[in-house]
Amino acid sequence: MPEPTSSPDPASDTPTTSGPTQPHGADRAPGAAPPRRRARGLLGDLARLWRRGHNVLDATIERNEQARLHAREVGLSLEETGTRAPAPAAEVAPPAAPTLPAVVRTRSTTMDSLPSWLVRGGLGSWLLLGIGIIISLVFFLTSKVVPVFIGMFLALIITSILQPLVNLFARVMPRFPATFLALLTALGVVAGLVTYVVTSVTNQWSTLAVRFTDGIHTIMDFLEHGPLPVHITQAEIMREIDDLMTKGQDYVTQNAPTLAGEVLSNAGTLVEVFTVLALALFVTIFFLASGGKMWRWFLNELPARYRQRVHRAAGAGWYTFAGYARGTVIVALTDAVMAGVFLQVVGIPLAAPLAVLVFIGAFIPIIGAPGAMVIAMIVALASKGVVTMIVVGVGVAAIGQIEGHILQPLIMGKQVSIHPVVVIVAVALGTFSAGLLGAIVAVPLVSVLWSVYSELHVRDTPVVGELPAYVADRG
């Protein structure tokens, strides 16, 4: 029986065999693993053709550079001696190129006449264009499933916060019971905070109503008889309020069907919110209980040569994301405690709800803390007057400075090291592209991308010392 012969296939990286066809698996030893099948079809052929063409293109560029250098040396020798200097055959003859398909050989011949910088620039431009298309496609697909994205983002935040607690409980019990115990502990803490806020508001409601009434009269007297260049009387304010109430009633009467439709749509939004929360809770349970097994399965599905780099990049991204989430919670909790104690000392009513508002505002970059400060100042103005309002504003601003210059560098300095300009630009881009959600997601997303890039990027020797000043060449 003739033995099968092997011959190179131009469109494939593996040799093709000719000869009698054996049934699939006939020549495989019993118990041996089935051979790994290569990718077939149009996409596989295009990928292999692209890899071979790219390698040949690099070889062609290198040969062209050597030919140009040799031609330049021959030209210089002719100018010096005035005679034709024969070149050795070994230097003139370029290295033999591998056998290629006709399309790639035509492209290589066309590229011979182009400078290397133009060829490499063109390839880089096409690669950047492809990367931009992929990123735009990811954002487009994400915009179509925003609730799912929000649910996954919440699941990652909760997982990063509760993971140390689950690891602590897992030392004395299995992983799944430790996960449920950690979730119950977190729900108990949240329920306790809500109960404390509601109880404090209920107990101070009567006193708060009297203080707010006195505060409103104080504000009205200040606007009417204060040192401001423009005076507003109480009658004018009441007239404006009556006009607004009349316009509001007319608007409701004229747009009743539209408002009813908006109410129904808001009811659907409420259902969507509960769906997102249920998705986040469900995914969080599995992330906490078996996240390591899920990640191991994902790595095993990748080619072996990519596993280490993907694991390193994902580890750097998760380290940064978890550090940002945990650090934000710690900083927000510290701000809330300091604000609550400060407002309680000053004697501002609703100190506990205002502290909770400061805690929530810490999760919204740039605008969260100032918004909480403005609301606290309004409450202080209505209850205690202008002087107390100024004191509250200065105190809350001082707490913000402590957060920005002490707490954040101390807690999140190693995990998240991004320049404030990058933070501002990222928040602005996120706000204009996706509103409040974009503002919240922008900073952790940029932090994760930068940490992954820093982990995989090999840096050159940094520039040290003073940079030389630019001097224009006038000659």
Side-chain angles (χ1 to χ4, degrees):
M1 179 181 296
E3 296 294 333
T5 58
S6 153
S7 61
D9 183 6
S12 176
D13 292 335
T14 58
T16 60
T17 60
S18 63
T21 304
Q22 298 291 337
H24 180 67
D27 56 348
R28 190 168 68 246
R36 189 179 183 90
R37 298 182 62 185
R38 300 187 61 84
R40 297 188 181 277
L42 180 60
L43 292 179
D45 294 339
L46 289 177
R48 287 189 287 274
L49 184 61
W50 167 257
R51 287 197 299 269
R52 293 175 63 84
H54 188 271
N55 295 334
V56 172
L57 187 59
D58 287 341
T60 303
I61 293 174
E62 185 67 24
R63 285 189 286 107
N64 292 340
E65 289 295 326
Q66 293 178 1
R68 288 192 183 93
L69 291 177
H70 177 71
R72 183 178 180 183
E73 292 176 358
V74 171
L76 291 177
S77 63
L78 290 176
E79 290 179 1
E80 292 175 357
T81 61
T83 60
R84 181 176 299 275
E91 296 180 1
V92 175
T99 304
L100 295 172
V103 177
V104 179
R105 288 200 301 270
T106 304
R107 182 197 294 180
S108 302
T109 305
T110 306
M111 295 295 182
D112 290 346
S113 59
L114 297 177
S116 61
W117 62 268
L118 183 59
V119 175
R120 297 184 186 275
L123 286 176
S125 300
W126 277 108
L127 290 175
L128 289 178
L129 182 60
I131 293 173
I133 292 174
I134 293 175
I135 294 176
S136 302
L137 183 61
V138 170
F139 275 98
F140 175 76
L141 295 178
T142 303
S143 65
K144 297 299 181 181
V145 288
V146 171
V148 178
F149 175 78
I150 296 174
M152 296 298 295
F153 184 76
L154 290 176
L156 290 175
I157 289 179
I158 299 173
T159 300
S160 62
I161 295 173
L162 296 184
Q163 189 178 24
L165 188 60
V166 173
N167 293 336
L168 180 63
F169 291 157
R171 295 180 180 179
V172 295
M173 62 180 67
R175 190 77 181 180
F176 266 98
T179 299
F180 284 102
L181 182 58
L183 288 173
L184 290 176
T185 303
L187 290 176
V189 171
V190 174
L193 288 175
V194 173
T195 303
Y196 175 71
V197 170
V198 173
T199 303
S200 62
V201 172
T202 304
N203 294 335
Q204 300 180 25
W205 186 256
S206 57
T207 306
L208 185 64
V210 175
R211 289 186 177 181
F212 263 87
T213 303
D214 296 339
I216 291 174
H217 289 301
T218 302
I219 295 173
M220 298 294 297
D221 183 71
F222 177 80
L223 292 176
E224 186 174 357
H225 304 289
L228 297 177
V230 178
H231 298 281
I232 303 175
T233 62
Q234 185 174 357
E236 294 175 350
I237 296 177
M238 294 302 298
R239 192 181 308 114
E240 291 294 333
I241 294 175
D242 291 338
D243 292 340
L244 291 176
M245 293 293 294
T246 303
K247 292 180 181 178
Q249 292 175 359
D250 295 339
Y251 179 80
V252 171
T253 303
Q254 296 174 2
N255 299 276
T258 305
L259 294 176
E262 291 181 359
V263 170
L264 294 177
S265 64
N266 290 332
T269 303
L270 185 62
V271 174
E272 184 178 291
V273 168
F274 280 106
T275 304
V276 169
L277 293 178
L279 173 64
L281 180 61
F282 184 80
V283 175
T284 300
I285 292 174
F286 283 94
F287 280 172
L288 291 173
S290 58
K293 296 180 180 179
M294 296 168 64
W295 179 246
R296 185 181 296 273
W297 171 85
F298 175 76
L299 286 179
N300 289 333
E301 294 299 317
L302 297 177
R305 62 182 181 275
Y306 296 138
R307 292 174 184 173
Q308 183 178 3
R309 290 175 61 85
V310 171
H311 184 64
R312 283 175 50 209
W318 177 249
Y319 175 78
T320 300
F321 183 85
Y324 178 83
R326 296 168 191 167
T328 302
V329 171
I330 295 174
V331 170
L333 185 61
T334 307
D335 287 350
V337 170
M338 290 191 297
V341 171
F342 171 73
L343 295 176
Q344 194 71 35
V345 170
V346 177
I348 302 300
L350 297 179
L354 291 175
V356 174
L357 187 64
V358 171
F359 176 80
I360 297 174
F363 291 93
I364 305 175
I366 308 300
I367 61 175
M373 181 184 69
V374 170
I375 295 176
M377 291 175 63
I378 292 175
V379 174
L381 176 63
S383 59
K384 292 286 188 175
V386 179
V387 177
T388 307
M389 178 193 71
I390 297 175
V391 172
V392 169
V394 173
V396 175
I399 293 175
Q401 294 299 315
I402 294 174
E403 169 198 343
H405 293 86
I406 298 178
L407 294 178
Q408 286 191 356
L410 183 64
I411 297 174
M412 297 189 296
K414 295 182 179 180
Q415 288 87 352
V416 183
S417 55
I418 299 180
H419 197 275
V421 174
V422 179
V423 174
I424 295 293
V425 173
V427 171
L429 291 175
T431 303
F432 284 114
S433 60
L436 181 60
L437 175 64
I440 297 175
V441 175
V443 177
L445 182 61
V446 171
S447 302
V448 169
L449 292 178
W450 176 251
S451 64
V452 171
Y453 171 77
S454 301
E455 181 66 25
L456 299 180
H457 177 61
V458 179
R459 295 182 177 87
D460 294 331
T461 304
V463 178
V464 295
E466 186 177 358
L467 295 177
Y470 171 75
V471 179
D473 188 6
R474 304 293 184 181

